[in-house]
Amino acid sequence: MSSSRFYLMMGVLLLAAAGQVAAVPYILPVCKSIGGGSSFFDVQFCLEALGSDQRTFDAGMTYRNFSVVAADLLTSNATSTAAKIDALLPKGGGGATVRGLRSCQALYGGIVQRQPGCIAAIKEKRDEEAISSLEKSASAAKECESGFRRSSVASPVTAENGNAFKLAKIVVALIKGADGQ
């Protein structure tokens, strides 16, 4: 058994142990299809993300349905990240970290603002519009992280930026896999 197959099976077992066993049979082929060759996210991240939402436990889910779920997860991530950034910002002061947080605040505000239209575009099969919005969201997450790196300060939202980027890329891959669904 190859090491990647071993780790994939371990991830499936971990999901099962976490009480998400019902979703694994339905999401595993989807995640393997879109994440197996992706340079943006791996199968494990896809399994964990989609498996976190009970809507994916339905055997009748289509790629389009999965893309709506993943877009909702991106909305939740962006909303909670924006709230975290707001809480981290001091009432006054400056410095590189504060400048980075202010930049991220605007970037995440844009993600949150775009998401309702993006989700509507997915549901209405306006795929190019949805993908354009999602690519902007992925770029915003990368830009947030890059701002801290350019200033040589630690980012307090590294994990959130990574998750937002990967979720946006998962939605794009799901839309591209939907083929008119």
Side-chain angles (χ1 to χ4, degrees), residues 74-158:
L74 174 58
T75 301
S76 294
N77 169 279
T79 302
S80 65
T81 302
K84 179 178 179 175
I85 291 167
D86 289 344
L88 289 170
L89 279 168
K91 298 298 177 214
T97 301
V98 172
R99 283 191 304 275
L101 286 169
R102 289 196 199 294
S103 174
C104 290
Q105 185 179 43
L107 292 164
Y108 273 91
I111 295 172
V112 170
Q113 187 175 23
R114 278 190 301 275
Q115 278 305 102
C118 177
I119 292 169
I122 294 168
K123 289 178 179 177
E124 296 167 11
K125 300 179 183 178
R126 297 188 324 264
D127 294 347
E128 288 182 26
E129 179 182 336
I131 289 170
S132 174
S133 175
L134 291 159
E135 293 295 355
K136 288 176 186 173
S137 295
S139 292
K142 282 287 189 191
E143 177 59 28
C144 174
E145 196 62 26
S146 294
F148 291 103
R149 206 170 308 117
R150 281 191 304 272
S151 297
S152 300
V153 295
S155 168
V157 288
T158 296

Side-chain angles (χ1 to χ4, degrees), residues 5-116:
R5 179 175 231 104
F6 171 77
Y7 288 115
L8 177 62
M9 292 309 298
M10 291 304 296
V12 170
L13 291 174
L14 287 173
L15 283 171
Q20 297 174 336
V21 72
V24 171
Y26 306 123
I27 63 175
L28 182 57
V30 172
C31 288
K32 285 174 81 173
S33 171
I34 65 167
S38 175
S39 60
F40 302 117
F41 61 91
D42 59 20
V43 173
Q44 184 62 38
F45 183 85
C46 178
L47 286 170
E48 290 170 1
L50 292 179
S52 72
D53 191 302
Q54 290 190 346
R55 291 176 289 176
T56 64
F57 293 17
D58 179 2
M61 292 285 287
T62 64
Y63 274 65
R64 177 106 18 220
N65 298 135
F66 282 120
S67 65
V68 171
V69 169
D72 286 344
L73 293 171
L74 174 58
T75 301
S76 294
N77 169 279
T79 302
S80 65
T81 302
K84 179 178 179 175
I85 291 167
D86 289 344
L88 289 170
L89 279 168
K91 298 298 177 214
T97 301
V98 172
R99 283 191 304 275
L101 286 169
R102 289 196 199 294
S103 174
C104 290
Q105 185 179 43
L107 292 164
Y108 273 91
I111 295 172
V112 170
Q113 187 175 23
R114 278 190 301 275
Q115 278 305 102

